[in-house]
């Protein structure tokens, strides 16, 4: 099966005209801009918002369009959508920890309708601030594991079901700005399983991101414990969400991960055989949209080590 969308994700500050030229040479047609995640994801997202309307950013997006490359943002947005300072006025909007205390740390109380309404309104604003002309959105909840809400109502919901409530709220907001909006459900860490109690709104699609995999063994290797665990729910996820619009988000080119998310970046080598077998497997399941993080391969990396293997990466995606 031929992949219709072949992508790469970089930090906004890593994007250059030369990178777009290399993407075109590699036959990549989707560029993801990923503000740095982690505990300060709201601050990096705000920097991306501030950068977005500047002349140089607009010029780069226009140059991407000339090369047939669509531009999207893929970001952990929840701390920006629900600022932590609101805890003083609305502690019930925030998650309850296992001890029964409200905590202004990550995500929210997925059973509080006012919190979900606030998130919905802010998502409409975010879409306006980061408009790239696409109607597919990749807005994610906080990048954490084990920080679900444990209030009496949320306690009966799995992390996947709590995420689905947040995704549905975000999508309702997106459609106030963009009536044709679609939004991903990020199958990732403790929300990797299929939601059982909360149904997706029409327009929610799957984004599968197996970060806890072994990155140097094929994802469907039956002898690899990590990969067996990560791939186990994948067919059920595809049955639940459908293959239409579904995206794989993998890590073959993610030098930020391989550098331990610390600068300066380490030298990088693409594991071509693992990637080749992974792409074949994903395509066999019906995925037509595959991307990967490609962070820490920007100008600072190139000044240290030369050109990253973007062409080889694109060839492996195009060779399906």
């Amino acid at each position: 099966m031929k992949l219709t969308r072949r992508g790469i994700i970089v930090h906004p500050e890593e994007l250059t005209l030369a990178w777009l030229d290399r993407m075109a040479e590699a036959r990549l047609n989707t560029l993801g801009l990923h503000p740095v995640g982690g505990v300060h994801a709201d601050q990096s997202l705000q920097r991306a918002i501030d950068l977005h309307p500047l002349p140089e950013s607009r010029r780069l997006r226009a140059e991407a369009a000339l090369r047939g490359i669509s531009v999207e943002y893929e970001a952990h947005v929840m701390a920006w959508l629900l600022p932590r300072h609101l805890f003083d006025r609305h502690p019930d909007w925030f998650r309850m920890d296992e001890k029964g205390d409200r905590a202004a740390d990550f995500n929210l109380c997925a059973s509080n309708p006012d919190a979900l309404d606030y998130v919905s309104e802010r998502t409409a604003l975010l879409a306006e601030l980061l408009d790239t002309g696409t109607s597919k959105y990749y807005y994610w909840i906080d990048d954490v594991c084990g920080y679900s809400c444990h209030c009496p109502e949320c306690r009966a919901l799995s992390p996947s079901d709590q995420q689905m409530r947040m995704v549905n709220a975000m999508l309702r907001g997106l459609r106030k700005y963009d009536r044709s909006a679609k939004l991903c459900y990020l199958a990732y860490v403790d929300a990797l399983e299929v939601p059982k109690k909360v149904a997706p709104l029409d327009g929610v699609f799957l984004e599968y991101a197996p970060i806890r995999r072994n990155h140097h063994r094929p994802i469907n290797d039956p002898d690899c414990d990590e990969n067996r665990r990560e791939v186990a729910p994948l067919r059920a996820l595809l049955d639940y969400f459908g293959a239409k619009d579904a995206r794989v988000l993998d890590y073959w080119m993610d030098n930020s991960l391989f550098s331990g998310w610390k600068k300066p970046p380490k030298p990088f080598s693409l594991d071509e055989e693992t990637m080749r077998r992974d792409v074949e497997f994903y395509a066999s399941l019906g995925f037509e949209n595959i991307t990967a993080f490609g962070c820490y391969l920007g100008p600072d990396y190139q000044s240290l080590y030369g050109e990253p293997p973007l062409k080889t990466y694109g060839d492996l995606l195009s060779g399906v």
Side-chain angles (χ1 to χ4, degrees):
M1 177 179 291
K2 182 178 177 60
L3 300 180
T4 57
R5 308 305 300 173
R6 301 174 301 281
I8 193 77
I9 296 173
V10 303
H11 295 313
E13 62 272 17
E14 295 173 328
L15 182 59
T16 63
L17 185 60
W19 184 266
L20 293 174
D21 287 336
R22 294 186 196 104
M23 284 187 66
E25 180 187 8
R27 292 170 288 177
L28 300 173
N29 57 16
T30 306
L31 170 66
L33 297 177
H34 174 63
V36 176
V39 296
H40 301 299
D42 57 331
Q43 297 174 30
S44 61
L45 179 57
Q46 185 60 54
R47 287 193 294 272
I49 291 168
D50 295 340
L51 186 67
H52 183 81
L54 298 182
E56 178 61 13
S57 298
R58 296 167 65 93
R59 184 179 78 88
L60 287 171
R61 292 196 301 275
E63 292 289 347
L66 290 173
R67 290 158 176 76
I69 298 169
S70 61
V71 179
E72 305 157 342
Y73 282 89
E74 301 216 19
H76 295 282
V77 301
M78 191 53 66
W80 189 92
L81 296 178
L82 190 68
R84 307 294 99 173
H85 67 78
L86 293 175
F87 184 80
D88 291 339
R89 282 184 285 161
H90 303 287
D92 56 317
W93 288 11
F94 293 83
R95 78 178 194 95
M96 182 178 286
D97 64 21
E98 294 91 334
K99 297 178 182 179
D101 298 323
R102 295 286 178 178
D105 47 14
F106 301 107
N107 294 318
L108 49 74
C109 176
S111 296
N112 188 296
D114 293 331
L116 293 171
D117 286 347
Y118 189 90
V119 162
S120 182
E121 293 296 327
R122 289 275 286 178
T123 308
L125 173 62
L126 182 61
E128 181 179 4
L129 292 172
L130 292 180
D131 193 343
T132 64
T134 181
S135 285
K136 290 195 179 74
Y137 296 84
Y138 298 85
Y139 294 166
W140 309 326
I141 65 173
D142 284 332
D143 189 10
V144 291
C145 181
Y147 284 88
S148 297
C149 182
H150 295 270
C151 77
E153 290 184 64
C154 286
R155 202 174 298 147
L157 299 175
S158 69
S160 296
D161 285 304
Q162 291 192 33
Q163 178 176 214
M164 184 56 70
R165 279 195 175 171
M166 298 179 222
V167 168
N168 285 344
M170 287 190 281
L171 181 56
R172 285 194 294 271
L174 285 172
R175 287 191 168 157
K176 294 178 182 179
Y177 177 72
D178 177 357
R179 287 184 295 178
S180 60
K182 296 182 178 182
L183 178 63
C184 75
Y185 170 94
L186 185 67
Y188 174 76
V189 292
D190 57 355
L192 195 62
E193 301 292 332
V194 171
K196 297 289 197 300
K197 297 182 178 180
V198 181
L201 295 178
D202 183 44
V204 175
F205 61 91
L206 173 66
E207 184 169 30
Y208 170 72
I211 191 172
R212 295 183 294 189
R213 64 170 294 175
N214 183 316
H215 299 281
H216 298 291
R217 301 273 292 274
I219 189 67
N220 61 334
D221 184 344
D223 298 321
C224 177
D225 291 341
E226 301 101 318
N227 291 0
R228 275 206 317 273
R229 179 195 64 224
E230 289 291 279
V231 83
L234 182 51
R235 292 181 190 274
L237 286 163
L238 283 168
D239 287 343
Y240 184 79
F241 289 101
K244 181 176 173 54
D245 297 318
R247 168 177 288 182
V248 170
L249 170 52
D250 217 302
Y251 300 84
W252 307 292
M253 291 278 286
D254 188 8
N255 201 36
S256 62
L257 183 153
F258 299 127
S259 297
W261 295 283
K262 294 180 181 179
K263 293 287 187 83
K266 294 180 179 179
F268 171 75
S269 177
L270 176 63
D271 188 334
E272 296 181 36
E273 182 56 26
T274 293
M275 182 181 170
R276 179 180 294 107
R277 291 178 61 180
D278 287 346
V279 171
E280 290 173 354
F281 172 69
Y282 290 138
S284 75
L285 296 179
F287 283 101
E288 298 181 19
N289 184 342
I290 298 180
T291 193
F293 285 105
C295 303
Y296 282 26
L297 296 173
D300 56 344
Y301 176 92
Q302 295 159 34
S303 67
L304 290 169
Y305 309 114
E307 295 297 325
L310 192 61
K311 178 66 164 57
T312 302
Y313 167 80
D315 288 345
L316 288 169
L317 289 182
S318 298
V320 177

